Amino acid sequence: MPDETRRPARKAGCPVCGKPSQPDTRPFCSTRCKQIDLGRWLNGDYAIPGPPAEVEEDGER
Ligand SMILES: [Zn+2]
């Protein structure tokens, strides 16, 4: 299985400010925006567009 099974990159860029994302801080444009996004998470003010690929439920489906 290839190791490149990443989630499809969003062309919208930084989810915080909309600027092109940088490889170092992807999907954000900078560490600052990363922190801002993290703050939103902690505040619960963030709508998750889709669940991550990691699903812990290994039981019945
Ligand atoms: Zn940004």
Side-chain angles (χ1 to χ4, degrees), residues 14 17 29 33:
C14 177
C17 68
C29 72
C33 281

Side-chain angles (χ1 to χ4, degrees), residues 7 50-61:
R7 275 170 282 168
E54 300 169 33
V55 181
E56 293 275 330
E57 296 179 54
D58 202 39
E60 55 187 333
R61 290 194 172 178

Side-chain angles (χ1 to χ4, degrees), residues 22-58:
Q22 300 298 321
D24 278 359
T25 54
R26 199 166 44 179
F28 308 100
C29 72
S30 62
T31 314
R32 188 161 169 267
C33 281
K34 196 174 178 181
Q35 296 295 328
I36 294 175
D37 188 72
L38 182 64
R40 288 183 183 178
W41 271 97
L42 295 177
N43 286 333
D45 185 28
Y46 202 94
I48 308 174
E54 300 169 33
V55 181
E56 293 275 330
E57 296 179 54
D58 202 39

